[in-house]
Amino acid sequence: MSLLRILIADDEALARSRLRTLLADCRLPGIDLEVAGEASNGAEAQALVNECALDLVLLDIHMPGLDGIELARRLRQRPDSPAIVFVTAHESHAVTAFELEAVDYLTKPVRIERLQKALQKVERILKERRAGAGVDEPQEMLVIQERGRIERVPLADVLYLKSEFKYLTVRTATRSHIYDGALADFEERFPAQFVRVHRNALVRRAAIRALEKYDDGEDAEGWALRLDGIPEPVVVSRRQLSGVRDALKEQR
């Protein structure tokens, strides 16, 4: 049996007690759950993280002094940072929580089914960490909020980004997402991964399969890229054609 050591951090004693009760009723195959400590504020929680070997912090957000968001920022800098699951009465911090790489975000009153799912996610992520310890850098993630849900999409899965109106279309091999961001930010931050192919589009360099003539009905002498994993072409503007050809040469 493996052991999952948990810290409960919440300024309300009743909330801590309820989490203890729920944890006692949770069942994970082959895993023992142990509440290794409790904290009533962020400073106490940080001290316990420094003193104990912990796997998970169930973390409230609104606490006196050091709040849960700031504590999560601090813990994120540690090489041995425990996993974070936020447990809060407020939904408004969900995007920030996922940007801080929280494993899950539970709203009060917590249901045992949701807590159980969060614990399963934690155990899966901890296994992945142990398996890849010292091997790979953490993946860059896009935190995407759409249709009432929040999803983390690995930047490595993005085939192209296209600016449309005030948002970006983020295309992976399996689906398209709507992302609130600026194309120029991606071009500036990730020049090794993406090449500009149009004033409104960036394409993953490694995904380019072919550059071919393309008639879009307006320009019979136009060009487009074929990318691995998706059927639709991505139009290349005449202004960016030279840069795209250079990118193709670099891949050879």
Side-chain angles (χ1 to χ4, degrees):
M1 296 280 285
S2 61
L3 184 64
L4 191 68
R5 292 172 56 82
I6 303 167
L7 171 65
I8 300 172
D10 197 302
D11 63 334
E12 297 179 3
L14 283 176
R16 298 196 302 272
S17 176
R18 174 168 171 75
L19 282 174
R20 268 189 178 271
T21 300
L22 290 174
L23 287 167
D25 291 333
C26 286
R27 296 291 180 268
L28 292 181
I31 300 168
D32 281 334
L33 304 178
E34 176 188 313
V35 177
E38 293 186 12
S40 61
N41 57 58
E44 286 181 9
Q46 186 171 20
L48 286 168
V49 171
N50 292 337
E51 294 170 8
C52 308
L54 295 167
D55 301 301
L56 167 64
V57 181
L58 296 176
L59 184 58
D60 189 19
I61 289 180
H62 293 286
M63 295 186 292
L66 182 66
D67 68 11
I69 293 293
E70 181 56 33
L71 176 59
R73 285 198 179 99
R74 296 185 184 185
L75 294 182
R76 191 184 179 198
Q77 307 304 316
R78 299 170 58 106
D80 60 344
S81 174
I84 302 291
V85 170
F86 284 105
V87 183
T88 177
H90 306 274
E91 296 182 0
S92 57
H93 297 285
V95 172
T96 301
F98 280 94
E99 288 174 345
L100 291 171
E101 299 181 351
V103 176
D104 211 336
Y105 188 93
L106 308 182
T107 52
K108 300 175 182 178
V110 177
R111 294 180 294 110
I112 190 169
E113 296 84 359
R114 279 292 289 119
L115 180 58
Q116 180 104 9
K117 286 182 179 178
L119 293 173
Q120 289 168 348
K121 288 182 186 178
V122 167
E123 181 58 19
R124 185 170 65 250
I125 285 171
L126 291 177
K127 280 183 179 178
E128 290 171 358
R129 280 188 191 175
R130 289 191 287 268
V135 176
D136 296 317
E137 296 270 333
Q139 284 197 75
E140 184 81 27
M141 292 285 181
L142 303 184
V143 180
I144 294 176
Q145 184 174 27
E146 57 183 349
R147 300 185 185 92
R149 68 194 295 264
I150 297 171
E151 187 171 348
R152 293 170 67 199
V153 176
L155 185 68
D157 290 351
V158 177
L159 301 177
Y160 70 74
L161 302 114
K162 188 176 291 186
S163 178
E164 297 177 291
F165 302 103
K166 296 181 179 179
Y167 299 95
L168 297 179
T169 294
V170 176
R171 183 70 159 99
T172 68
T174 55
R175 58 178 295 198
S176 294
H177 304 270
I178 302 299
Y179 182 73
D180 186 5
L183 205 62
D185 290 343
F186 285 90
E187 185 177 27
E188 181 179 342
R189 292 178 60 198
F190 307 107
Q193 289 98 316
F194 295 96
V195 59
R196 185 173 285 274
V197 301
H198 198 281
R199 61 180 174 77
N200 69 347
L202 297 176
V203 163
R204 174 166 294 281
R205 293 173 184 269
I208 298 173
R209 189 172 74 245
L211 175 66
E212 60 187 26
K213 284 289 186 69
Y214 181 71
D215 183 356
D216 62 0
E218 296 180 5
D219 184 1
E221 296 299 317
W223 294 84
L225 289 171
R226 293 288 177 181
L227 306 181
D228 286 328
I230 57 173
E232 71 268 20
V234 180
V235 173
V236 177
S237 70
R238 294 191 180 193
R239 182 176 181 181
Q240 303 298 335
L241 186 57
S242 175
V244 170
R245 284 179 168 148
D246 288 342
L248 280 167
K249 290 175 185 176
E250 290 170 7
Q251 287 181 230
R252 291 174 183 170

